[in-house]
Amino acid sequence: MRHTMKRLITYFVAASFACLGVMQPAQAALIGAGQVVAAADAQQNRAHIAALLERPAVQARLQELGIGKADAQQRVAALTDDEAAALADKIDSLPAGGDGVIGALIFVFLVLLVTDILGFTKVFPFTHPVRR
Amino acid sequence: MLREAPAGLPRQAELAATPFFPQERYQCGPAALAMTLGAAGIDVAPEALVPQVYVPEREGSLPPEMLAAGRRNGAFSMTVPPRLDALLAEVAAGNPVLVLQNLSLPWVPLWHYSVVIGYDLDRTELVLRSGTTARTTMALSTFEHTWARSQSWGMVTLAPGRLPRTAQEAPTVAAAVAFEQANGAAAARRVYAAALERWPQDLALLLGLGNSAYAAGNVAAAVDAFRRAVAAHPDSAPALNDLAFALNAMGRRREARAAAQKALSLGGPWQEAVRDTLRSIDAAPRRR
């Protein structure tokens, strides 16, 4: 009985040492291009930290703007740090290319007609700018 | 303004093989992106791109997401320098350019994506695929007015291994790293190799090439790339660390340890990574 107890304790102690013995060091790894670029550029480093903090906010805003959760998640994951930071700052002020329809105010219509003809804008398909 | 044609630029160019997708309402972004991706040999329908770039409440698509979606679909995407001569040079080099214009005035904006596929310097006009029109021309001066309102934003989506003619080193490296993050290291090999033809000494590109070779299972090619990196940057701890790691993977422990020890002697912020590499060299089973 006593002998068995001693053996058990011995096993237990041996096992814990064995655990220590095979404990893995931190995984060795290659250093990638992205890490070197980020480290070389303090600006990038800041963008990385900002992006980490801001990605959830960007995703939430995309969902508010009518994008489903799964799509919003994938879209945020696809952004670089710089792109995520740009969206976090300016998601509501960045131009959204979409060919929206301009409110048909007659004044606006006349102004744009003139600027189209002068070649400063190209709103109406039927205008041809004056060549200078 | 383009006062005179850049030297060496042909008088006319038109990339007639660029596919055309007429846009649905508000969806010039997905349509334009499908066109430049198609030109790169990546067949994606605009409808498949809508959930990747379109923002319903804004009734449009945002430029950073256009770049990201290009990468997601396997293209090397990056912006081109915001100058008309760069735009024309890209078209002349065979790369259609996706541009953002405000066709209206700043106080009643009409933001629009289209694809520049050609130009004619004698007629001073551009050729575009735009909206529901497969081929339209626009006076260069009108284009410049409308393009300047987006800070002359333009991008290309190229088949991996092709680079924009006008690309600068730092943005290209950043775009290559972004491509690797989106598509995996192994897929990025052609991108790094192409960029290294232009900037053979760039440290990040050399490490990227080695990492992508390693990820593709070609350890010998990885060692070659890391040797090039160490030759060009003898005091770079990351280059030495990666060389040590790859040599160790080939079973060349002695050379691996020498490289890792050199890296350790340099000090600096990479010490922890280097120590891990050194430990893994010591822990590696001895070769018989």
PDB file of all heavy atoms in Angstrom, chain A residues 86-119:
ATOM      1  N   ALA A  86      -8.890  54.575 -43.561  1.00  0.00           N
ATOM      2  CA  ALA A  86      -9.550  55.566 -44.418  1.00  0.00           C
ATOM      3  C   ALA A  86     -11.065  55.452 -44.290  1.00  0.00           C
ATOM      4  O   ALA A  86     -11.771  56.462 -44.195  1.00  0.00           O
ATOM      5  CB  ALA A  86      -9.123  55.379 -45.874  1.00  0.00           C
ATOM      6  N   LEU A  87     -11.563  54.222 -44.261  1.00  0.00           N
ATOM      7  CA  LEU A  87     -13.010  54.043 -44.139  1.00  0.00           C
ATOM      8  C   LEU A  87     -13.494  54.492 -42.768  1.00  0.00           C
ATOM      9  O   LEU A  87     -14.557  55.104 -42.647  1.00  0.00           O
ATOM     10  CB  LEU A  87     -13.392  52.582 -44.361  1.00  0.00           C
ATOM     11  CG  LEU A  87     -13.592  52.127 -45.800  1.00  0.00           C
ATOM     12  CD1 LEU A  87     -14.286  50.777 -45.823  1.00  0.00           C
ATOM     13  CD2 LEU A  87     -14.408  53.131 -46.601  1.00  0.00           C
ATOM     14  N   ALA A  88     -12.707  54.186 -41.727  1.00  0.00           N
ATOM     15  CA  ALA A  88     -13.121  54.569 -40.373  1.00  0.00           C
ATOM     16  C   ALA A  88     -13.259  56.084 -40.279  1.00  0.00           C
ATOM     17  O   ALA A  88     -14.203  56.594 -39.685  1.00  0.00           O
ATOM     18  CB  ALA A  88     -12.109  54.052 -39.360  1.00  0.00           C
ATOM     19  N   ASP A  89     -12.316  56.785 -40.896  1.00  0.00           N
ATOM     20  CA  ASP A  89     -12.340  58.249 -40.828  1.00  0.00           C
ATOM     21  C   ASP A  89     -13.445  58.846 -41.681  1.00  0.00           C
ATOM     22  O   ASP A  89     -14.039  59.846 -41.330  1.00  0.00           O
ATOM     23  CB  ASP A  89     -11.007  58.820 -41.343  1.00  0.00           C
ATOM     24  CG  ASP A  89      -9.919  58.712 -40.303  1.00  0.00           C
ATOM     25  OD1 ASP A  89     -10.268  58.317 -39.173  1.00  0.00           O
ATOM     26  OD2 ASP A  89      -8.760  58.995 -40.614  1.00  0.00           O
ATOM     27  N   LYS A  90     -13.658  58.244 -42.877  1.00  0.00           N
ATOM     28  CA  LYS A  90     -14.398  58.992 -43.898  1.00  0.00           C
ATOM     29  C   LYS A  90     -15.513  58.215 -44.553  1.00  0.00           C
ATOM     30  O   LYS A  90     -15.921  58.538 -45.657  1.00  0.00           O
ATOM     31  CB  LYS A  90     -13.398  59.445 -44.983  1.00  0.00           C
ATOM     32  CG  LYS A  90     -12.356  60.419 -44.454  1.00  0.00           C
ATOM     33  CD  LYS A  90     -11.415  60.887 -45.541  1.00  0.00           C
ATOM     34  CE  LYS A  90     -10.407  59.838 -45.919  1.00  0.00           C
ATOM     35  NZ  LYS A  90      -9.210  60.285 -46.578  1.00  0.00           N
ATOM     36  N   ILE A  91     -16.029  57.188 -43.878  1.00  0.00           N
ATOM     37  CA  ILE A  91     -16.997  56.324 -44.565  1.00  0.00           C
ATOM     38  C   ILE A  91     -18.204  57.120 -45.062  1.00  0.00           C
ATOM     39  O   ILE A  91     -18.792  56.805 -46.084  1.00  0.00           O
ATOM     40  CB  ILE A  91     -17.423  55.148 -43.663  1.00  0.00           C
ATOM     41  CG1 ILE A  91     -18.135  54.079 -44.475  1.00  0.00           C
ATOM     42  CG2 ILE A  91     -18.297  55.615 -42.498  1.00  0.00           C
ATOM     43  CD1 ILE A  91     -18.200  52.732 -43.811  1.00  0.00           C
ATOM     44  N   ASP A  92     -18.545  58.206 -44.342  1.00  0.00           N
ATOM     45  CA  ASP A  92     -19.725  58.963 -44.758  1.00  0.00           C
ATOM     46  C   ASP A  92     -19.390  60.142 -45.664  1.00  0.00           C
ATOM     47  O   ASP A  92     -20.289  60.761 -46.228  1.00  0.00           O
ATOM     48  CB  ASP A  92     -20.491  59.450 -43.528  1.00  0.00           C
ATOM     49  CG  ASP A  92     -21.065  58.264 -42.764  1.00  0.00           C
ATOM     50  OD1 ASP A  92     -21.849  57.515 -43.364  1.00  0.00           O
ATOM     51  OD2 ASP A  92     -20.689  58.072 -41.593  1.00  0.00           O
ATOM     52  N   SER A  93     -18.113  60.468 -45.786  1.00  0.00           N
ATOM     53  CA  SER A  93     -17.759  61.602 -46.643  1.00  0.00           C
ATOM     54  C   SER A  93     -17.029  61.181 -47.905  1.00  0.00           C
ATOM     55  O   SER A  93     -16.921  61.955 -48.847  1.00  0.00           O
ATOM     56  CB  SER A  93     -16.896  62.603 -45.857  1.00  0.00           C
ATOM     57  OG  SER A  93     -15.720  61.973 -45.400  1.00  0.00           O
ATOM     58  N   LEU A  94     -16.516  59.936 -47.948  1.00  0.00           N
ATOM     59  CA  LEU A  94     -15.861  59.478 -49.172  1.00  0.00           C
ATOM     60  C   LEU A  94     -16.868  59.485 -50.309  1.00  0.00           C
ATOM     61  O   LEU A  94     -18.035  59.157 -50.104  1.00  0.00           O
ATOM     62  CB  LEU A  94     -15.355  58.042 -48.995  1.00  0.00           C
ATOM     63  CG  LEU A  94     -13.975  57.805 -48.427  1.00  0.00           C
ATOM     64  CD1 LEU A  94     -13.737  56.304 -48.323  1.00  0.00           C
ATOM     65  CD2 LEU A  94     -12.904  58.424 -49.299  1.00  0.00           C
ATOM     66  N   PRO A  95     -16.434  59.850 -51.507  1.00  0.00           N
ATOM     67  CA  PRO A  95     -17.365  59.764 -52.629  1.00  0.00           C
ATOM     68  C   PRO A  95     -17.759  58.312 -52.872  1.00  0.00           C
ATOM     69  O   PRO A  95     -16.928  57.426 -52.863  1.00  0.00           O
ATOM     70  CB  PRO A  95     -16.556  60.313 -53.807  1.00  0.00           C
ATOM     71  CG  PRO A  95     -15.132  60.209 -53.405  1.00  0.00           C
ATOM     72  CD  PRO A  95     -15.102  60.339 -51.909  1.00  0.00           C
ATOM     73  N   ALA A  96     -19.054  58.079 -53.058  1.00  0.00           N
ATOM     74  CA  ALA A  96     -19.522  56.748 -53.403  1.00  0.00           C
ATOM     75  C   ALA A  96     -19.912  56.792 -54.873  1.00  0.00           C
ATOM     76  O   ALA A  96     -20.943  57.357 -55.230  1.00  0.00           O
ATOM     77  CB  ALA A  96     -20.714  56.346 -52.534  1.00  0.00           C
ATOM     78  N   GLY A  97     -19.063  56.243 -55.715  1.00  0.00           N
ATOM     79  CA  GLY A  97     -19.352  56.233 -57.147  1.00  0.00           C
ATOM     80  C   GLY A  97     -20.597  55.420 -57.398  1.00  0.00           C
ATOM     81  O   GLY A  97     -20.640  54.246 -57.047  1.00  0.00           O
ATOM     82  N   GLY A  98     -21.636  56.041 -57.957  1.00  0.00           N
ATOM     83  CA  GLY A  98     -22.883  55.299 -58.087  1.00  0.00           C
ATOM     84  C   GLY A  98     -23.837  55.915 -59.071  1.00  0.00           C
ATOM     85  O   GLY A  98     -24.906  55.385 -59.306  1.00  0.00           O
ATOM     86  N   ASP A  99     -23.465  57.064 -59.629  1.00  0.00           N
ATOM     87  CA  ASP A  99     -24.299  57.599 -60.678  1.00  0.00           C
ATOM     88  C   ASP A  99     -25.685  57.964 -60.173  1.00  0.00           C
ATOM     89  O   ASP A  99     -26.685  57.692 -60.819  1.00  0.00           O
ATOM     90  CB  ASP A  99     -24.471  56.533 -61.770  1.00  0.00           C
ATOM     91  CG  ASP A  99     -24.104  57.111 -63.112  1.00  0.00           C
ATOM     92  OD1 ASP A  99     -23.768  58.295 -63.142  1.00  0.00           O
ATOM     93  OD2 ASP A  99     -24.162  56.376 -64.100  1.00  0.00           O
ATOM     94  N   GLY A 100     -25.747  58.569 -58.996  1.00  0.00           N
ATOM     95  CA  GLY A 100     -27.029  58.944 -58.427  1.00  0.00           C
ATOM     96  C   GLY A 100     -27.764  59.934 -59.313  1.00  0.00           C
ATOM     97  O   GLY A 100     -27.197  60.534 -60.217  1.00  0.00           O
ATOM     98  N   VAL A 101     -29.042  60.091 -59.069  1.00  0.00           N
ATOM     99  CA  VAL A 101     -29.833  61.023 -59.862  1.00  0.00           C
ATOM    100  C   VAL A 101     -29.858  62.364 -59.147  1.00  0.00           C
ATOM    101  O   VAL A 101     -30.048  62.439 -57.941  1.00  0.00           O
ATOM    102  CB  VAL A 101     -31.263  60.485 -60.050  1.00  0.00           C
ATOM    103  CG1 VAL A 101     -32.104  61.477 -60.818  1.00  0.00           C
ATOM    104  CG2 VAL A 101     -31.214  59.146 -60.761  1.00  0.00           C
ATOM    105  N   ILE A 102     -29.623  63.409 -59.899  1.00  0.00           N
ATOM    106  CA  ILE A 102     -29.600  64.735 -59.312  1.00  0.00           C
ATOM    107  C   ILE A 102     -31.021  65.266 -59.209  1.00  0.00           C
ATOM    108  O   ILE A 102     -31.818  65.113 -60.129  1.00  0.00           O
ATOM    109  CB  ILE A 102     -28.740  65.675 -60.176  1.00  0.00           C
ATOM    110  CG1 ILE A 102     -27.276  65.261 -60.053  1.00  0.00           C
ATOM    111  CG2 ILE A 102     -28.946  67.117 -59.763  1.00  0.00           C
ATOM    112  CD1 ILE A 102     -26.377  66.045 -60.947  1.00  0.00           C
ATOM    113  N   GLY A 103     -31.347  65.845 -58.079  1.00  0.00           N
ATOM    114  CA  GLY A 103     -32.660  66.455 -57.899  1.00  0.00           C
ATOM    115  C   GLY A 103     -32.940  67.420 -59.055  1.00  0.00           C
ATOM    116  O   GLY A 103     -32.100  68.245 -59.404  1.00  0.00           O
ATOM    117  N   ALA A 104     -34.112  67.287 -59.678  1.00  0.00           N
ATOM    118  CA  ALA A 104     -34.361  67.982 -60.936  1.00  0.00           C
ATOM    119  C   ALA A 104     -34.805  69.427 -60.733  1.00  0.00           C
ATOM    120  O   ALA A 104     -35.857  69.832 -61.236  1.00  0.00           O
ATOM    121  CB  ALA A 104     -35.383  67.201 -61.759  1.00  0.00           C
ATOM    122  N   LEU A 105     -34.022  70.176 -59.990  1.00  0.00           N
ATOM    123  CA  LEU A 105     -34.318  71.599 -59.879  1.00  0.00           C
ATOM    124  C   LEU A 105     -33.983  72.278 -61.204  1.00  0.00           C
ATOM    125  O   LEU A 105     -32.952  72.001 -61.803  1.00  0.00           O
ATOM    126  CB  LEU A 105     -33.471  72.225 -58.764  1.00  0.00           C
ATOM    127  CG  LEU A 105     -33.833  71.788 -57.352  1.00  0.00           C
ATOM    128  CD1 LEU A 105     -32.752  72.224 -56.381  1.00  0.00           C
ATOM    129  CD2 LEU A 105     -35.172  72.392 -56.961  1.00  0.00           C
ATOM    130  N   ILE A 106     -34.833  73.157 -61.625  1.00  0.00           N
ATOM    131  CA  ILE A 106     -34.639  73.764 -62.937  1.00  0.00           C
ATOM    132  C   ILE A 106     -33.357  74.611 -62.950  1.00  0.00           C
ATOM    133  O   ILE A 106     -32.614  74.607 -63.917  1.00  0.00           O
ATOM    134  CB  ILE A 106     -35.890  74.596 -63.349  1.00  0.00           C
ATOM    135  CG1 ILE A 106     -35.983  74.690 -64.867  1.00  0.00           C
ATOM    136  CG2 ILE A 106     -35.884  75.968 -62.764  1.00  0.00           C
ATOM    137  CD1 ILE A 106     -36.474  73.469 -65.539  1.00  0.00           C
ATOM    138  N   PHE A 107     -33.065  75.243 -61.800  1.00  0.00           N
ATOM    139  CA  PHE A 107     -31.852  76.060 -61.718  1.00  0.00           C
ATOM    140  C   PHE A 107     -30.607  75.198 -61.882  1.00  0.00           C
ATOM    141  O   PHE A 107     -29.704  75.505 -62.648  1.00  0.00           O
ATOM    142  CB  PHE A 107     -31.828  76.808 -60.382  1.00  0.00           C
ATOM    143  CG  PHE A 107     -30.527  77.491 -60.104  1.00  0.00           C
ATOM    144  CD1 PHE A 107     -30.149  78.604 -60.845  1.00  0.00           C
ATOM    145  CD2 PHE A 107     -29.681  77.023 -59.110  1.00  0.00           C
ATOM    146  CE1 PHE A 107     -28.942  79.239 -60.586  1.00  0.00           C
ATOM    147  CE2 PHE A 107     -28.475  77.646 -58.852  1.00  0.00           C
ATOM    148  CZ  PHE A 107     -28.107  78.748 -59.593  1.00  0.00           C
ATOM    149  N   VAL A 108     -30.614  74.075 -61.148  1.00  0.00           N
ATOM    150  CA  VAL A 108     -29.481  73.155 -61.234  1.00  0.00           C
ATOM    151  C   VAL A 108     -29.346  72.640 -62.664  1.00  0.00           C
ATOM    152  O   VAL A 108     -28.247  72.579 -63.227  1.00  0.00           O
ATOM    153  CB  VAL A 108     -29.672  71.985 -60.240  1.00  0.00           C
ATOM    154  CG1 VAL A 108     -28.582  70.937 -60.418  1.00  0.00           C
ATOM    155  CG2 VAL A 108     -29.682  72.509 -58.815  1.00  0.00           C
ATOM    156  N   PHE A 109     -30.477  72.325 -63.262  1.00  0.00           N
ATOM    157  CA  PHE A 109     -30.480  71.830 -64.635  1.00  0.00           C
ATOM    158  C   PHE A 109     -29.814  72.839 -65.572  1.00  0.00           C
ATOM    159  O   PHE A 109     -28.949  72.489 -66.370  1.00  0.00           O
ATOM    160  CB  PHE A 109     -31.935  71.561 -65.075  1.00  0.00           C
ATOM    161  CG  PHE A 109     -32.076  71.237 -66.530  1.00  0.00           C
ATOM    162  CD1 PHE A 109     -31.815  69.944 -66.983  1.00  0.00           C
ATOM    163  CD2 PHE A 109     -32.452  72.209 -67.451  1.00  0.00           C
ATOM    164  CE1 PHE A 109     -31.938  69.639 -68.330  1.00  0.00           C
ATOM    165  CE2 PHE A 109     -32.570  71.903 -68.794  1.00  0.00           C
ATOM    166  CZ  PHE A 109     -32.313  70.619 -69.240  1.00  0.00           C
ATOM    167  N   LEU A 110     -30.206  74.101 -65.440  1.00  0.00           N
ATOM    168  CA  LEU A 110     -29.657  75.124 -66.337  1.00  0.00           C
ATOM    169  C   LEU A 110     -28.168  75.332 -66.109  1.00  0.00           C
ATOM    170  O   LEU A 110     -27.389  75.430 -67.062  1.00  0.00           O
ATOM    171  CB  LEU A 110     -30.422  76.443 -66.145  1.00  0.00           C
ATOM    172  CG  LEU A 110     -31.849  76.420 -66.707  1.00  0.00           C
ATOM    173  CD1 LEU A 110     -32.575  77.723 -66.393  1.00  0.00           C
ATOM    174  CD2 LEU A 110     -31.834  76.186 -68.218  1.00  0.00           C
ATOM    175  N   VAL A 111     -27.757  75.358 -64.838  1.00  0.00           N
ATOM    176  CA  VAL A 111     -26.334  75.551 -64.545  1.00  0.00           C
ATOM    177  C   VAL A 111     -25.524  74.412 -65.145  1.00  0.00           C
ATOM    178  O   VAL A 111     -24.503  74.627 -65.814  1.00  0.00           O
ATOM    179  CB  VAL A 111     -26.098  75.624 -63.015  1.00  0.00           C
ATOM    180  CG1 VAL A 111     -24.600  75.562 -62.702  1.00  0.00           C
ATOM    181  CG2 VAL A 111     -26.697  76.907 -62.457  1.00  0.00           C
ATOM    182  N   LEU A 112     -25.998  73.173 -64.921  1.00  0.00           N
ATOM    183  CA  LEU A 112     -25.234  72.019 -65.397  1.00  0.00           C
ATOM    184  C   LEU A 112     -25.249  71.933 -66.914  1.00  0.00           C
ATOM    185  O   LEU A 112     -24.279  71.475 -67.526  1.00  0.00           O
ATOM    186  CB  LEU A 112     -25.767  70.724 -64.773  1.00  0.00           C
ATOM    187  CG  LEU A 112     -25.512  70.600 -63.260  1.00  0.00           C
ATOM    188  CD1 LEU A 112     -26.140  69.323 -62.716  1.00  0.00           C
ATOM    189  CD2 LEU A 112     -24.022  70.623 -62.942  1.00  0.00           C
ATOM    190  N   LEU A 113     -26.331  72.405 -67.522  1.00  0.00           N
ATOM    191  CA  LEU A 113     -26.381  72.430 -68.978  1.00  0.00           C
ATOM    192  C   LEU A 113     -25.259  73.332 -69.510  1.00  0.00           C
ATOM    193  O   LEU A 113     -24.520  72.966 -70.428  1.00  0.00           O
ATOM    194  CB  LEU A 113     -27.752  72.947 -69.433  1.00  0.00           C
ATOM    195  CG  LEU A 113     -28.073  72.801 -70.918  1.00  0.00           C
ATOM    196  CD1 LEU A 113     -28.080  71.333 -71.309  1.00  0.00           C
ATOM    197  CD2 LEU A 113     -29.434  73.437 -71.239  1.00  0.00           C
ATOM    198  N   VAL A 114     -25.128  74.501 -68.882  1.00  0.00           N
ATOM    199  CA  VAL A 114     -24.088  75.442 -69.317  1.00  0.00           C
ATOM    200  C   VAL A 114     -22.701  74.869 -69.052  1.00  0.00           C
ATOM    201  O   VAL A 114     -21.827  74.888 -69.924  1.00  0.00           O
ATOM    202  CB  VAL A 114     -24.274  76.807 -68.603  1.00  0.00           C
ATOM    203  CG1 VAL A 114     -23.087  77.715 -68.894  1.00  0.00           C
ATOM    204  CG2 VAL A 114     -25.582  77.461 -69.045  1.00  0.00           C
ATOM    205  N   THR A 115     -22.500  74.303 -67.833  1.00  0.00           N
ATOM    206  CA  THR A 115     -21.153  73.787 -67.526  1.00  0.00           C
ATOM    207  C   THR A 115     -20.824  72.585 -68.407  1.00  0.00           C
ATOM    208  O   THR A 115     -19.675  72.376 -68.776  1.00  0.00           O
ATOM    209  CB  THR A 115     -21.017  73.414 -66.039  1.00  0.00           C
ATOM    210  OG1 THR A 115     -22.073  72.516 -65.680  1.00  0.00           O
ATOM    211  CG2 THR A 115     -21.070  74.642 -65.147  1.00  0.00           C
ATOM    212  N   ASP A 116     -21.854  71.791 -68.767  1.00  0.00           N
ATOM    213  CA  ASP A 116     -21.635  70.682 -69.699  1.00  0.00           C
ATOM    214  C   ASP A 116     -21.114  71.206 -71.034  1.00  0.00           C
ATOM    215  O   ASP A 116     -20.145  70.700 -71.591  1.00  0.00           O
ATOM    216  CB  ASP A 116     -22.957  69.939 -69.953  1.00  0.00           C
ATOM    217  CG  ASP A 116     -23.042  68.621 -69.178  1.00  0.00           C
ATOM    218  OD1 ASP A 116     -22.405  68.536 -68.109  1.00  0.00           O
ATOM    219  OD2 ASP A 116     -23.739  67.702 -69.655  1.00  0.00           O
ATOM    220  N   ILE A 117     -21.790  72.245 -71.524  1.00  0.00           N
ATOM    221  CA  ILE A 117     -21.426  72.784 -72.831  1.00  0.00           C
ATOM    222  C   ILE A 117     -20.027  73.401 -72.783  1.00  0.00           C
ATOM    223  O   ILE A 117     -19.253  73.294 -73.729  1.00  0.00           O
ATOM    224  CB  ILE A 117     -22.491  73.805 -73.297  1.00  0.00           C
ATOM    225  CG1 ILE A 117     -23.786  73.048 -73.643  1.00  0.00           C
ATOM    226  CG2 ILE A 117     -22.000  74.608 -74.506  1.00  0.00           C
ATOM    227  CD1 ILE A 117     -25.003  73.928 -73.809  1.00  0.00           C
ATOM    228  N   LEU A 118     -19.680  73.969 -71.624  1.00  0.00           N
ATOM    229  CA  LEU A 118     -18.344  74.542 -71.488  1.00  0.00           C
ATOM    230  C   LEU A 118     -17.284  73.461 -71.273  1.00  0.00           C
ATOM    231  O   LEU A 118     -16.094  73.745 -71.305  1.00  0.00           O
ATOM    232  CB  LEU A 118     -18.308  75.534 -70.325  1.00  0.00           C
ATOM    233  CG  LEU A 118     -19.128  76.805 -70.562  1.00  0.00           C
ATOM    234  CD1 LEU A 118     -19.134  77.667 -69.300  1.00  0.00           C
ATOM    235  CD2 LEU A 118     -18.566  77.601 -71.743  1.00  0.00           C
ATOM    236  N   GLY A 119     -17.751  72.232 -71.005  1.00  0.00           N
ATOM    237  CA  GLY A 119     -16.799  71.131 -70.851  1.00  0.00           C
ATOM    238  C   GLY A 119     -16.264  70.966 -69.441  1.00  0.00           C
ATOM    239  O   GLY A 119     -15.291  70.260 -69.231  1.00  0.00           O
TER     240      GLY A 119
END
